[in-house]
Amino acid sequence: ILKLPWLGFIVKQFVLARFSSTLSITLKAGLPLLEALAVTQEILEYSVYRSAISKIQGAISMGVSFEKALASTQCFPPFFSQVVKVGQLSGCLEKSLDRLAHFLETRTNDSILTMIRFLEPALLVVLSVFVGLFMLAIYWPIFELGNVVGIA
């Protein structure tokens, strides 16, 4: 699903929003970063992101900063690690992650609405063709019956 053109983008945004939100909540609850990442890892259902979080945990335990560990995984876009860096430098990582989650949720909703707006006309055309074929299938035998009887 993650490699599909539009749907993959939407799912990635949703996963990133969920990651940000969960990590923000666990950090607000007072959990250390490594434990918060472990809890967040259990919530995500995509193995790509789970393995990325494992790599992040390993890098953090070896002394790499959180934002550099995020940037090294290639699963998170550059703006994500930049927001984390600003959050760490300002001492408000939880707030930064919460705002990031809200931004990503809004972006996901907008992407879904855009996709629906593009799909509506296509679905209308497909439905119209289906109804036309259905009507043709109903009336074709009647026309053929008229030809057999010799009315037409």
Side-chain angles (χ1 to χ4, degrees):
I1 289 180
L2 294 175
K3 293 184 180 182
L4 293 175
W6 262 11
L7 190 60
F9 175 76
I10 291 171
V11 169
K12 286 176 188 176
Q13 296 302 310
F14 176 74
V15 169
L16 291 175
R18 193 169 185 188
F19 172 81
S20 301
S21 177
T22 306
L23 191 58
S24 172
I25 290 169
T26 53
L27 289 173
K28 282 180 189 175
L31 287 174
L33 182 59
L34 287 174
E35 288 181 32
L37 283 169
V39 169
T40 304
Q41 182 182 21
E42 294 300 317
I43 289 175
L44 299 178
E45 56 265 354
Y46 291 98
S47 61
V48 174
Y49 287 96
R50 284 184 174 207
S51 64
I53 293 174
S54 292
K55 290 177 186 176
I56 292 169
Q57 287 172 316
I60 291 173
S61 63
M62 291 192 311
V64 177
S65 70
F66 182 36
E67 62 98 6
K68 287 182 182 175
L70 275 174
S72 69
T73 63
Q74 303 297 324
C75 283
F76 298 91
F79 76 88
F80 200 93
S81 56
Q82 291 170 355
V83 169
V84 167
K85 181 180 181 179
V86 169
Q88 283 183 319
L89 291 175
S90 66
C92 301
L93 182 59
E94 302 88 9
K95 286 183 182 180
S96 296
L97 287 170
D98 194 38
R99 288 182 182 149
L100 184 60
H102 179 68
F103 168 74
L104 290 169
E105 288 169 1
T106 303
R107 192 172 172 185
T108 302
N109 290 338
D110 290 345
S111 297
I112 290 171
L113 289 175
T114 302
M115 186 173 70
I116 288 171
R117 284 187 193 120
F118 279 116
L119 286 177
E120 281 177 356
L123 288 174
L124 186 63
V125 168
V126 168
L127 188 59
S128 298
V129 168
F130 179 72
V131 168
L133 289 173
F134 184 72
M135 297 213 24
L136 185 64
I138 289 174
Y139 285 114
W140 190 264
I142 295 172
F143 294 143
E144 286 298 317
L145 185 62
N147 287 339
V148 169
V149 174
I151 296 175

